[in-house]
Amino acid sequence: MNERQQVVYATVQASLKRRYARERRFRTLGLSAIILGLSFVLLLFADIISKGYSAFVQTHITLPVYFDPQVIDPSGQRDPAKLARANYRKLVRAPLRALFPEVQSRREKRQLYRLLSTGAAYQVQAMVLADPGLIGQTRQLALLADDDVDMINKGHIDQASVEERFGTAYWGWLQQLKQQDRLHTRWNSGFFTSGDSREPELAGIGGAMTGSLYTLLVTLLLSCPIGIAAAIYLEEFAPRNRFTDLIEVNINNLAAVPSIVFGLLGLAIFINLFGLPRSAPLVGGLVLTLMTLPTVIIASRAALQAVPPSIREAALGIGASHMQTVFHHVLPLALPGMLTGTIIGMAQALGETAPLLMIGMVAFIVDVPNSPLDPSSALPVQVYLWADSPERAFVERTSAAIMVLLAFLISMNACAVALRRRFERRW
Amino acid sequence: MSEMQSASGDAPLFDQSFQTTGQIHVDCPRMTASRVDVYYGDKQAIYDVSLDIARNEVIAMIGPSGCGKSTFLRCLNRMNDTIAGCRVSGTIKLDQQDIYDKRLDVVPLRARVGMVFQKPNPFPKSIYDNVAYGPRIHGLARKGDELDEVVETSLRRAGLWVEVKDRLTSPGTGLSGGQQQRLCIARTIAVSPEVILMDEPCSALDPIATARVEELLVELQKNYTIAVVTHSMQQAARISQRTAYFHLGRLVEVGETTQIFTNPQHKLTEDYITGRFG
Ligand SMILES: Nc1ncnc2c1ncn2[C@@H]1O[C@H](COP(=O)(O)OP(=O)(O)OP(=O)(O)O)[C@@H](O)[C@H]1O
Ligand SMILES: [Mg+2]
């Protein structure tokens, strides 16, 4: 080594330590940022899951129900219309009275009956309507318990508070039921199939899920073709001039507009001007389309830009027309990217709440919608509604609904990632 | 032309009276370019180039990097149309027909004047579909057998048939670089163009693959007119009948390949081929 080379070597050696230290610092910083982020996510998930998991089971009280012909069908004609109108509450109350003969006062009786949900009577009614042959028989039935019973059974309310709020007798009844092995938790299928209700034990996300599904369907059917077509036109066919620049700026702007503004727009245009029904998933879908369009367009344009120019040149070079080049070669290569963008847009739309509040999808709606024109709610709005309810039982339902929402979001985003992985760079 | 100055001195390299050295005209041209100027935005890339391309000849275009060879080549089938801001003036004729005529459709033009690019660019589709694409979109072969035949002849002509006949359905992108380039040539000749433009078709290939492509060019010359841009003077000498030397957007000299390489008339040409420039 000559002198100069020795100096260089020594300097390089001397600086190495500093360089590596800097690299280590940067790595630690990055790692701690990730750990911080992950721990917040974990915290959120732990909180939601710990609060919400118990909503997936529901407390039932097993009671011997006598399908009393005197109550259900005194005339014995088995007329379905009459069967439907019978007083089933009486049937489910009878075994309770028999179990606790010491309860005499009206006030206490009323409290005793409230161990059961109002849904219990409907349970029995449905059984009778399905099979009138049950009339005259006695069956051990697991009847839906009231939400307070459910909460106490799940240990969310302790003895002291129960005795303070409901009296000592109430606690005693529950203990007795427990000793007789009449208190059970069962898989809460109603949570996924029923609509909203004032009674927490009857409330479910079925209506909200269906509403969200219809809303997303409308959004997908509109934003996917419109967005992709707009992207193809802007990227491949539109002349580059002031006007298209203006469009481009506005599309980017649109992506940044607060979603509530879209809600106001939807209210003014779709409902007030066009007279579309309030609270309908159709309107929700239209509003969310406005919101997701920029996302879809921007992602689709990026996907089109990512197609290497050599492919276009190859096609043009053998005499494919512009249209053929785009549709035979560019589009197939860009499609996975476009779909990824669409799915991410859909996931955003699924979680969007504010614009739906503006168009009335926040109303209390018991029935599960049958079409995009029926009034309905949506999953995130349902979360918002339940989070506002005072009953303790709605707390766990809120968390459970969030879990379902998150499950949908995660699987949609996973789909997008899988799609991207699968079709990444085929050329 | 004060902006066009030689690398070394301040004296203008080309003045107003500059004329291409050598015979730019041929007896029976397939393509004629006359007084072609090309601009990228405000920047002029080609200055007043006139050149005939004869039938069934291989013409080589050589010159230092950035001198406008690719630009000129791309004018010949209007591939420059795809570049925003690129403007061409002058006339270019294919068989006496002005290809920059407003009424002329570029789609049939590009079917008649095909192009092979520097980097092999097969479609991410099967080998068969790569070759069949041109005939399909132009409706040259409709029935399955007919198409099979076109694909086979094209691949045979491109010297690729033996290597790929057992895997026509595997993706074209899975071939080696040299094979991909021959596939691209097969794809181009599948539409039976009259002229084939090639922009440094061998620059991404090893010597063996290069030799195969060169053989192929000599073979193809019987049926096609070929214009090749190349950086290898040996290659130009091996495959071409005429050679055109470009320098800073000008066509400096054109002539018989042997004459250009043994007895260049212009100083710049001489400097370039003797390795003093470029
Ligand atoms: N798309 C473009 N936009 C602007 N200028 C361009 C464009 N393409 C080429 N040019 C310019 O035009 C001139 C000629 O370029 P061209 O690609 O034709 O050179 P070339 O002779 O093919 O060079 P090489 O041998 O390196 O491929 C160069 O100065 C180049 O910078
Ligand atoms: Mg070039």
Side-chain angles (χ1 to χ4, degrees):
Chain A
M1 276 199 273
N2 68 21
E3 213 167 287
R4 170 77 188 139
Q5 284 166 336
Q6 264 164 4
V7 171
V8 168
Y9 184 73
T11 321
V12 169
Q13 282 296 323
S15 74
L16 273 184
K17 220 169 119 188
R18 232 174 340 108
R19 282 195 250 172
Y20 287 142
R22 198 174 292 166
E23 187 176 326
R24 262 197 310 279
R25 269 203 302 280
F26 184 73
R27 279 189 194 200
T28 331
L29 219 65
L31 204 65
S32 36
I34 289 177
I35 289 174
L36 196 73
L38 269 185
S39 47
F40 275 122
V41 170
L42 278 181
L43 209 68
L44 176 80
F45 275 39
D47 180 55
I48 291 171
I49 293 174
S50 66
K51 272 190 200 147
Y53 78 97
S54 53
F56 294 111
V57 290
Q58 187 67 33
T59 305
H60 287 72
I61 305 175
T62 309
L63 292 173
V65 175
Y66 173 50
F67 291 85
D68 190 348
Q70 286 309 309
V71 176
I72 303 172
D73 192 19
S75 60
Q77 286 161 335
R78 301 289 188 263
D79 175 12
K82 275 204 180 125
L83 289 184
R85 264 183 285 117
N87 186 359
Y88 292 98
R89 245 190 301 175
K90 217 169 172 177
L91 291 190
V92 297
R93 283 173 178 183
L96 273 180
R97 259 204 321 277
L99 265 178
F100 303 102
E102 72 277 10
V103 177
Q104 287 300 331
S105 78
R106 268 179 70 103
R107 212 177 60 82
E108 263 198 324
K109 263 190 192 162
R110 216 180 303 140
Q111 204 180 15
L112 177 66
Y113 296 151
R114 280 224 302 268
L115 287 177
L116 284 173
S117 161
T118 48
Y122 295 112
Q123 242 177 302
V124 176
Q125 178 196 39
M127 287 179 75
V128 171
L129 290 179
D131 177 16
L134 284 170
I135 296 171
Q137 301 185 23
T138 303
R139 285 287 163 88
Q140 292 286 342
L141 295 183
L143 297 170
L144 191 60
D146 185 64
D147 60 307
D148 290 324
V149 175
D150 184 45
M151 286 298 106
I152 297 165
N153 185 39
K154 285 172 180 170
H156 292 316
I157 309 178
D158 60 25
Q159 184 177 0
S161 342
V162 173
E163 286 179 345
E164 189 191 314
R165 260 176 64 196
F166 304 99
T168 37
Y170 195 84
W171 179 259
W173 297 334
L174 287 179
Q175 293 313 309
Q176 194 180 329
L177 284 173
K178 219 175 238 173
Q179 272 155 22
Q180 294 176 3
D181 200 21
R182 292 187 185 277
L183 231 43
H184 294 286
T185 56
R186 300 170 130 215
W187 172 247
N188 188 3
S189 58
F191 182 67
F192 296 98
T193 54
S194 345
D196 200 3
S197 169
R198 296 278 180 232
E199 306 295 334
E201 74 275 11
L202 292 176
I205 55 169
M209 265 201 308
T210 321
S212 271
L213 188 79
Y214 281 132
T215 309
L216 278 194
L217 210 66
V218 173
T219 310
L220 182 70
L221 288 181
L222 290 174
S223 68
C224 188
I226 296 178
I228 289 181
I232 293 175
Y233 176 73
L234 284 175
E235 198 55 43
E236 303 286 340
F237 296 98
R240 296 263 181 277
N241 56 28
R242 279 267 171 81
F243 183 63
T244 42
D245 282 351
L246 194 75
I247 291 181
E248 171 136 26
V249 168
N250 274 298
I251 288 174
N252 292 332
N253 260 345
L254 225 51
V257 168
S259 54
I260 191 121
V261 176
F262 288 109
L264 284 167
L265 184 80
L267 179 65
I269 293 184
F270 300 128
I271 296 181
N272 292 345
L273 195 63
F274 294 166
L276 291 176
R278 232 165 224 285
S279 312
L282 175 69
V283 181
L286 286 170
V287 169
L288 292 181
T289 301
L290 293 178
M291 254 200 54
T292 39
L293 260 183
T295 312
V296 176
I297 294 178
I298 291 170
S300 301
R301 292 186 68 174
L304 285 170
Q305 278 163 8
V307 175
S310 63
I311 298 287
R312 292 167 210 267
E313 291 196 321
L316 291 172
I318 48 174
S321 68
H322 192 165
M323 189 91 174
Q324 286 170 328
T325 306
V326 170
F327 283 92
H328 294 170
H329 300 287
V330 178
L331 197 56
L333 291 175
L335 214 50
M338 294 177 156
L339 293 184
T340 309
T342 309
I343 294 176
I344 289 173
M346 286 296 118
Q348 273 174 8
L350 176 60
E352 199 52 67
T353 325
L356 301 184
L357 302 185
M358 297 312 302
I359 57 153
M361 286 185 83
V362 69
F364 171 74
I365 290 148
V366 176
D367 296 320
V368 176
N370 285 318
S371 82
L373 286 169
D374 291 345
S376 147
S377 171
L379 262 182
V381 180
Q382 191 67 74
V383 170
Y384 168 80
L385 282 172
W386 283 349
D388 238 16
S389 304
E391 285 90 344
R392 175 65 183 78
F394 273 127
V395 173
E396 65 168 27
R397 267 158 212 271
T398 307
S399 294
I402 294 176
M403 280 160 75
V404 173
L405 184 61
L406 283 179
F408 276 118
L409 287 178
I410 289 172
S411 39
M412 281 167 90
N413 285 325
C415 261
V417 171
L419 206 65
R420 195 155 42 196
R421 283 274 159 74
R422 171 89 176 67
F423 292 100
E424 215 167 33
R425 297 210 147 269
R426 273 194 305 171
W427 47 85
Chain B
M1 293 290 140
S2 56
E3 77 268 29
M4 297 307 318
Q5 301 189 331
S6 74
S8 49
D10 287 325
L13 199 52
F14 303 110
D15 56 21
Q16 291 288 326
S17 62
F18 171 80
Q19 289 269 311
T20 302
T21 312
Q23 260 311 318
I24 54 174
H25 295 296
V26 298
D27 289 339
C28 185
R30 174 122 267 170
M31 297 194 83
T32 43
S34 45
R35 317 219 56 163
V36 173
D37 292 305
V38 182
Y39 302 83
Y40 289 114
D42 296 334
K43 190 173 159 292
Q44 189 163 4
I46 294 279
Y47 295 84
D48 196 23
V49 169
S50 301
L51 180 66
D52 285 0
I53 299 172
R55 283 166 204 277
N56 293 39
E57 78 166 346
V58 176
I59 181 165
M61 299 179 182
I62 60 171
S65 189
C67 68
K69 306 177 296 289
S70 301
T71 304
F72 181 69
L73 198 71
R74 291 166 65 94
C75 289
L76 298 178
N77 73 342
R78 290 184 56 178
M79 279 306 278
N80 280 341
D81 288 12
T82 59
I83 299 173
C86 180
R87 201 155 48 77
V88 179
S89 69
T91 48
I92 299 177
K93 289 181 177 168
L94 171 64
D95 290 336
Q96 304 312 316
Q97 187 186 17
D98 184 359
I99 64 170
Y100 278 88
D101 191 327
K102 286 260 178 310
R103 285 159 302 175
L104 183 119
D105 190 353
V106 293
V107 166
L109 170 71
R110 295 202 185 119
R112 291 173 68 188
V113 183
M115 187 149 192
V116 176
F117 298 84
Q118 179 172 357
K119 227 180 96 217
N121 55 355
F123 299 129
K125 298 176 189 272
S126 74
I127 293 172
Y128 184 95
D129 286 338
N130 261 283
V131 183
Y133 182 67
R136 266 193 196 131
I137 56 168
H138 295 303
L140 300 179
R142 285 180 203 287
K143 290 199 303 284
D145 306 351
E146 231 177 293
L147 200 59
D148 291 349
E149 205 179 299
V150 172
V151 170
E152 183 177 337
T153 2
S154 307
L155 284 170
R156 271 191 201 286
R157 283 220 180 129
L160 192 62
W161 176 251
V162 180
E163 286 153 80
V164 301
K165 65 172 190 281
D166 298 323
R167 47 169 176 153
L168 288 174
T169 51
S170 54
T173 40
L175 297 172
S176 77
Q179 289 173 326
Q180 286 188 15
Q181 194 62 301
R182 278 179 283 147
L183 177 63
C184 293
I185 295 175
R187 182 176 65 188
T188 303
I189 59 186
V191 292
S192 309
E194 294 156 38
V195 182
I196 304 176
L197 310 174
M198 297 186 165
D199 193 351
E200 300 180 43
C202 301
S203 65
L205 307 185
D206 71 45
I208 297 171
T210 301
R212 301 224 39 179
V213 173
E214 286 181 8
E215 276 168 37
L216 174 62
L217 289 188
V218 174
E219 180 67 27
L220 291 175
Q221 188 202 339
K222 292 174 198 153
N223 299 302
Y224 305 94
T225 300
I226 300 172
V228 188
V229 170
T230 175
H231 273 287
S232 155
M233 282 177 273
Q234 291 84 346
Q235 182 172 62
R238 281 193 297 265
I239 58 175
S240 68
Q241 285 82 56
R242 284 203 308 152
T243 296
Y245 174 68
F246 286 77
H247 194 106
L248 288 177
R250 312 267 178 172
L251 175 56
V252 173
E253 183 168 354
V254 60
E256 298 289 323
T257 299
T258 39
Q259 175 254 311
I260 293 279
F261 284 105
T262 55
N263 185 20
Q265 301 296 304
H266 199 283
K267 176 86 171 57
L268 285 169
T269 320
E270 189 184 342
D271 285 354
Y272 183 71
I273 62 169
T274 53
R276 257 172 285 173
F277 187 90

